[in-house]
Structures are given as structure tokens and as C-alpha cells.
Amino acid sequence: ISSRGHYAYILHSQQVLQRITQLLGIDGAETANNSRSLIHYRLGDLLQLDKGFTPSSSILRLLSTLHENNWSIASDSIEDARRFLQGGFREPGLIRFENLSSLQVVRFGVLAENFIGTNSKLSIWITILRAFKGKPNTYIPSSMKQNLQNTIPKAESELITYY
């Protein structure tokens, strides 16, 4: 499957989402990763562009309200993510910074116990697929609320918390 361009206002059918989960191998299968929680921290070129990225202070503020210590952080800029987030965890020894492919990030994010997304298409897709699978504990920036409300049915959108 290849998808390019802006799709923030497309409501995908249940059949399309089911097919995507089948192709990704997450259509009911659980993995060992599902006991970990994932932060997908998109930085990359956003560090140099005016588009902006999710401030680490927003993520750290959210983390302070959650009772989870077993986090993995996936980023396209691991060292920058480490620098921005390292000091914000209650038990830093349980934190893993992961260098994962895009498909690995999507699989991990959908199956994770908790998911914190940032301003990225991968985080949007993970959020859509988690909602489709009925998974709670999905956190996404409030700046993405309008786009996601147009792509996720109302009942499923109640599983998402905006920070």
C-alpha cells in the first residue's frame, strides 16, 4: 500500500482499515511489544522548518499524569529525542530509545499498551488504526483534533485523548 498526500478529511471504511491491519500483520495478533508503551516523536526536518514540532514540554507534561514507566521512544532523530525527553521519566532505566523503520513504528504503536503521538502522518495512521481496533490510551496533540475528528467515527474518537 502506498499513500501520499493529504488525507485528513477522508473517513476510511471498515473494510479498508481491516485490510490495512491484515497487510501490516496486526489484525488481532498481539506481540511482546504490547506490554510496552510507545512515544512516536517526529522531529527530523521539522527541527529546521517553520512547520514546528511537538514541544517536549507538552509530552513531558502528559507523561507526568500517566502511571506508566515502561516506555519506548521511536524517532527519526534519536539523539535529539533523547536530549529533549531524557530527564522527564520517573524511572529512566526503563526507557528505550528505538531506531525503527516506519512499518515497525506503526505496528508497535498500534499494539502498544499506551501510545503518545506527535505531529506526523505516522502518528495519524497509528491513531486511526488504534481507534479502529478499539484501543484506549491513545494520546495525540490537540492541534490534530479537527483532522482526526473527520477521519475517525465519533464512537471510536472517544478513545483518543488530546494533549
Side-chain angles (χ1 to χ4, degrees), residues 125-137:
W125 275 110
I126 292 167
T127 300
I128 289 168
L129 294 172
R130 284 178 66 87
F132 170 69
K133 291 178 68 66
K135 295 206 65 150
N137 306 321

Side-chain angles (χ1 to χ4, degrees), residues 35-38 68-72 94-96:
S35 65
R36 290 194 68 80
S37 295
L38 180 68
E68 173 63 45
N69 293 319
N70 199 13
W71 290 96
S72 287
L94 297 176
I95 308 310
R96 291 196 315 221

Side-chain angles (χ1 to χ4, degrees), residues 57-75:
S57 59
S58 296
I59 297 169
L60 295 173
R61 192 170 31 257
L62 173 61
L63 282 170
S64 72
T65 68
L66 302 176
H67 302 288
E68 173 63 45
N69 293 319
N70 199 13
W71 290 96
S72 287
I73 294 113
S75 179

Side-chain angles (χ1 to χ4, degrees), residues 53-130:
F53 56 92
T54 303
S56 59
S57 59
S58 296
I59 297 169
L60 295 173
R61 192 170 31 257
L62 173 61
L63 282 170
S64 72
T65 68
L66 302 176
H67 302 288
E68 173 63 45
N69 293 319
N70 199 13
W71 290 96
S72 287
I73 294 113
S75 179
D76 53 355
S77 302
I78 292 288
E79 291 310 312
D80 289 318
R82 185 185 317 275
R83 186 168 41 90
F84 291 150
L85 297 174
Q86 187 67 51
F89 296 94
R90 287 188 281 269
E91 297 185 46
L94 297 176
I95 308 310
R96 291 196 315 221
F97 287 84
E98 312 256 6
N99 188 10
L100 304 172
S101 72
S102 296
L103 285 177
Q104 289 172 316
V105 170
V106 172
R107 286 185 192 113
F108 192 160
V110 173
L111 297 175
E113 182 69 26
N114 297 280
F115 173 71
I116 297 176
T118 56
N119 296 333
S120 77
K121 289 182 176 111
L122 282 183
S123 287
I124 290 171
W125 275 110
I126 292 167
T127 300
I128 289 168
L129 294 172
R130 284 178 66 87

